[in-house]
mmCIF file of all heavy atoms in Angstrom:
data_model
loop_
_atom_site.group_PDB
_atom_site.id
_atom_site.type_symbol
_atom_site.label_atom_id
_atom_site.label_comp_id
_atom_site.label_asym_id
_atom_site.label_seq_id
_atom_site.Cartn_x
_atom_site.Cartn_y
_atom_site.Cartn_z
ATOM 1 N N PRO A 183 48.569 8.939 91.598
ATOM 2 C CA PRO A 183 48.748 8.435 90.249
ATOM 3 C C PRO A 183 49.314 6.932 90.259
ATOM 4 O O PRO A 183 49.896 6.494 91.173
ATOM 5 C CB PRO A 183 49.866 9.357 89.587
ATOM 6 C CG PRO A 183 50.604 9.749 90.823
ATOM 7 C CD PRO A 183 49.730 9.737 91.931
ATOM 8 N N GLY A 184 49.029 6.233 89.187
ATOM 9 C CA GLY A 184 49.708 4.998 88.888
ATOM 10 C C GLY A 184 51.054 5.354 88.290
ATOM 11 O O GLY A 184 51.516 6.501 88.483
ATOM 12 N N PRO A 185 51.750 4.439 87.735
ATOM 13 C CA PRO A 185 53.096 4.696 87.181
ATOM 14 C C PRO A 185 53.124 5.704 86.097
ATOM 15 O O PRO A 185 52.233 5.810 85.287
ATOM 16 C CB PRO A 185 53.581 3.270 86.577
ATOM 17 C CG PRO A 185 52.279 2.564 86.450
ATOM 18 C CD PRO A 185 51.292 2.994 87.522
ATOM 19 N N ILE A 186 54.055 6.611 86.147
ATOM 20 C CA ILE A 186 54.238 7.728 85.298
ATOM 21 C C ILE A 186 55.533 7.644 84.550
ATOM 22 O O ILE A 186 56.518 7.143 85.079
ATOM 23 C CB ILE A 186 54.158 9.114 86.045
ATOM 24 C CG1 ILE A 186 52.962 9.276 86.929
ATOM 25 C CG2 ILE A 186 54.290 10.271 85.073
ATOM 26 C CD1 ILE A 186 52.939 10.466 87.842
ATOM 27 N N LYS A 187 55.653 8.057 83.351
ATOM 28 C CA LYS A 187 56.840 7.913 82.529
ATOM 29 C C LYS A 187 57.850 8.963 82.903
ATOM 30 O O LYS A 187 57.949 10.001 82.331
ATOM 31 C CB LYS A 187 56.436 8.098 80.991
ATOM 32 C CG LYS A 187 55.662 6.970 80.412
ATOM 33 C CD LYS A 187 55.338 7.259 78.967
ATOM 34 C CE LYS A 187 54.335 6.242 78.395
ATOM 35 N NZ LYS A 187 53.972 6.566 77.033
ATOM 36 N N THR A 188 58.609 8.674 84.004
ATOM 37 C CA THR A 188 59.584 9.597 84.508
ATOM 38 C C THR A 188 60.844 8.801 84.846
ATOM 39 O O THR A 188 60.894 7.545 84.863
ATOM 40 C CB THR A 188 59.128 10.392 85.754
ATOM 41 O OG1 THR A 188 58.926 9.490 86.839
ATOM 42 C CG2 THR A 188 57.742 11.073 85.416
ATOM 43 N N ASP A 189 61.898 9.568 85.397
ATOM 44 C CA ASP A 189 63.091 8.867 85.785
ATOM 45 C C ASP A 189 62.935 8.188 87.099
ATOM 46 O O ASP A 189 63.939 7.596 87.566
ATOM 47 C CB ASP A 189 64.219 9.909 85.893
ATOM 48 C CG ASP A 189 64.711 10.406 84.562
ATOM 49 O OD1 ASP A 189 64.396 9.748 83.583
ATOM 50 O OD2 ASP A 189 65.421 11.422 84.545
ATOM 51 N N PHE A 190 61.835 8.214 87.674
ATOM 52 C CA PHE A 190 61.554 7.532 88.988
ATOM 53 C C PHE A 190 61.953 6.085 88.901
ATOM 54 O O PHE A 190 62.514 5.519 89.885
ATOM 55 C CB PHE A 190 60.030 7.605 89.357
ATOM 56 C CG PHE A 190 59.560 6.779 90.545
ATOM 57 C CD1 PHE A 190 59.554 7.326 91.791
ATOM 58 C CD2 PHE A 190 59.082 5.540 90.279
ATOM 59 C CE1 PHE A 190 59.174 6.566 92.866
ATOM 60 C CE2 PHE A 190 58.736 4.754 91.406
ATOM 61 C CZ PHE A 190 58.782 5.275 92.683
ATOM 62 N N PHE A 191 61.762 5.460 87.854
ATOM 63 C CA PHE A 191 61.972 4.034 87.668
ATOM 64 C C PHE A 191 63.409 3.645 87.370
ATOM 65 O O PHE A 191 63.782 2.518 87.423
ATOM 66 C CB PHE A 191 61.096 3.422 86.549
ATOM 67 C CG PHE A 191 59.586 3.501 86.909
ATOM 68 C CD1 PHE A 191 58.832 4.525 86.390
ATOM 69 C CD2 PHE A 191 59.040 2.584 87.773
ATOM 70 C CE1 PHE A 191 57.474 4.621 86.707
ATOM 71 C CE2 PHE A 191 57.699 2.674 88.090
ATOM 72 C CZ PHE A 191 56.974 3.669 87.607
ATOM 73 N N LYS A 192 64.237 4.719 87.089
ATOM 74 C CA LYS A 192 65.738 4.357 86.992
ATOM 75 C C LYS A 192 66.250 3.871 88.230
ATOM 76 O O LYS A 192 67.123 2.990 88.321
ATOM 77 C CB LYS A 192 66.483 5.623 86.487
ATOM 78 C CG LYS A 192 66.215 5.962 85.067
ATOM 79 C CD LYS A 192 67.073 7.145 84.612
ATOM 80 C CE LYS A 192 66.849 7.391 83.178
ATOM 81 N NZ LYS A 192 67.690 8.590 82.666
ATOM 82 N N LEU A 193 65.769 4.374 89.383
ATOM 83 C CA LEU A 193 66.172 3.888 90.706
ATOM 84 C C LEU A 193 65.184 2.753 91.181
ATOM 85 O O LEU A 193 65.723 1.753 91.649
ATOM 86 C CB LEU A 193 66.116 5.051 91.690
ATOM 87 C CG LEU A 193 66.411 4.684 93.203
ATOM 88 C CD1 LEU A 193 67.913 4.154 93.265
ATOM 89 C CD2 LEU A 193 66.324 5.953 94.058
ATOM 90 N N ALA A 194 63.875 2.993 91.056
ATOM 91 C CA ALA A 194 63.011 2.073 91.692
ATOM 92 C C ALA A 194 63.061 0.653 91.004
ATOM 93 O O ALA A 194 62.973 -0.387 91.568
ATOM 94 C CB ALA A 194 61.527 2.594 91.543
ATOM 95 N N ASP A 195 63.230 0.687 89.615
ATOM 96 C CA ASP A 195 63.163 -0.573 88.786
ATOM 97 C C ASP A 195 64.425 -0.744 88.025
ATOM 98 O O ASP A 195 64.490 -0.676 86.812
ATOM 99 C CB ASP A 195 61.906 -0.415 87.890
ATOM 100 C CG ASP A 195 61.775 -1.621 86.995
ATOM 101 O OD1 ASP A 195 61.968 -2.788 87.440
ATOM 102 O OD2 ASP A 195 61.458 -1.419 85.789
ATOM 103 N N GLN A 196 65.470 -1.038 88.762
ATOM 104 C CA GLN A 196 66.822 -1.087 88.177
ATOM 105 C C GLN A 196 67.013 -2.171 87.180
ATOM 106 O O GLN A 196 67.820 -2.097 86.266
ATOM 107 C CB GLN A 196 67.890 -1.089 89.240
ATOM 108 C CG GLN A 196 67.931 0.183 90.082
ATOM 109 C CD GLN A 196 68.965 0.136 91.132
ATOM 110 O OE1 GLN A 196 70.026 -0.414 90.972
ATOM 111 N NE2 GLN A 196 68.747 0.907 92.198
ATOM 112 N N ASN A 197 66.242 -3.278 87.277
ATOM 113 C CA ASN A 197 66.357 -4.288 86.322
ATOM 114 C C ASN A 197 65.371 -4.127 85.114
ATOM 115 O O ASN A 197 65.465 -4.862 84.110
ATOM 116 C CB ASN A 197 66.113 -5.701 86.868
ATOM 117 C CG ASN A 197 64.708 -5.819 87.457
ATOM 118 O OD1 ASN A 197 63.785 -5.100 87.063
ATOM 119 N ND2 ASN A 197 64.533 -6.908 88.349
ATOM 120 N N GLY A 198 64.540 -3.119 85.151
ATOM 121 C CA GLY A 198 63.730 -2.750 84.018
ATOM 122 C C GLY A 198 62.558 -3.660 83.816
ATOM 123 O O GLY A 198 61.725 -3.457 82.897
ATOM 124 N N GLU A 199 62.270 -4.653 84.679
ATOM 125 C CA GLU A 199 61.224 -5.601 84.445
ATOM 126 C C GLU A 199 59.767 -4.946 84.646
ATOM 127 O O GLU A 199 58.888 -5.204 83.904
ATOM 128 C CB GLU A 199 61.320 -6.728 85.459
ATOM 129 C CG GLU A 199 62.525 -7.679 85.096
ATOM 130 C CD GLU A 199 62.425 -8.296 83.759
ATOM 131 O OE1 GLU A 199 61.406 -8.760 83.370
ATOM 132 O OE2 GLU A 199 63.554 -8.285 83.107
ATOM 133 N N TYR A 200 59.636 -4.091 85.620
ATOM 134 C CA TYR A 200 58.364 -3.545 85.852
ATOM 135 C C TYR A 200 57.988 -2.536 84.665
ATOM 136 O O TYR A 200 56.831 -2.601 84.206
ATOM 137 C CB TYR A 200 58.427 -2.714 87.103
ATOM 138 C CG TYR A 200 57.060 -2.048 87.506
ATOM 139 C CD1 TYR A 200 55.939 -2.769 87.853
ATOM 140 C CD2 TYR A 200 56.897 -0.666 87.456
ATOM 141 C CE1 TYR A 200 54.823 -2.316 88.244
ATOM 142 C CE2 TYR A 200 55.679 -0.080 87.833
ATOM 143 C CZ TYR A 200 54.660 -0.861 88.196
ATOM 144 O OH TYR A 200 53.436 -0.345 88.475
ATOM 145 N N VAL A 201 58.924 -1.739 84.242
ATOM 146 C CA VAL A 201 58.639 -0.885 83.102
ATOM 147 C C VAL A 201 58.367 -1.615 81.835
ATOM 148 O O VAL A 201 57.420 -1.304 81.117
ATOM 149 C CB VAL A 201 59.918 0.079 82.862
ATOM 150 C CG1 VAL A 201 59.703 0.883 81.580
ATOM 151 C CG2 VAL A 201 60.059 1.064 84.013
ATOM 152 N N LYS A 202 59.013 -2.752 81.678
ATOM 153 C CA LYS A 202 58.752 -3.608 80.563
ATOM 154 C C LYS A 202 57.296 -4.167 80.554
ATOM 155 O O LYS A 202 56.626 -4.372 79.545
ATOM 156 C CB LYS A 202 59.706 -4.778 80.486
ATOM 157 C CG LYS A 202 59.708 -5.562 79.181
ATOM 158 C CD LYS A 202 60.648 -6.811 79.321
ATOM 159 C CE LYS A 202 62.085 -6.303 79.516
ATOM 160 N NZ LYS A 202 62.987 -7.455 79.578
ATOM 161 N N SER A 203 56.819 -4.475 81.798
ATOM 162 C CA SER A 203 55.536 -5.093 81.931
ATOM 163 C C SER A 203 54.384 -4.079 81.856
ATOM 164 O O SER A 203 53.269 -4.442 81.306
ATOM 165 C CB SER A 203 55.451 -5.703 83.311
ATOM 166 O OG SER A 203 56.427 -6.792 83.513
ATOM 167 N N VAL A 204 54.585 -2.845 82.335
ATOM 168 C CA VAL A 204 53.423 -1.946 82.436
ATOM 169 C C VAL A 204 53.697 -0.664 81.565
ATOM 170 O O VAL A 204 52.867 0.258 81.531
ATOM 171 C CB VAL A 204 53.200 -1.451 83.840
ATOM 172 C CG1 VAL A 204 52.912 -2.689 84.719
ATOM 173 C CG2 VAL A 204 54.340 -0.664 84.433
#
Side-chain angles (χ1 to χ4, degrees):
I186 306 173
K187 294 177 184 175
T188 68
D189 287 346
F190 173 89
F191 294 100
K192 287 184 178 180
L193 177 63
D195 178 40
Q196 295 184 27
N197 64 19
E199 290 301 315
Y200 182 70
V201 171
K202 189 184 301 182
S203 300
V204 305

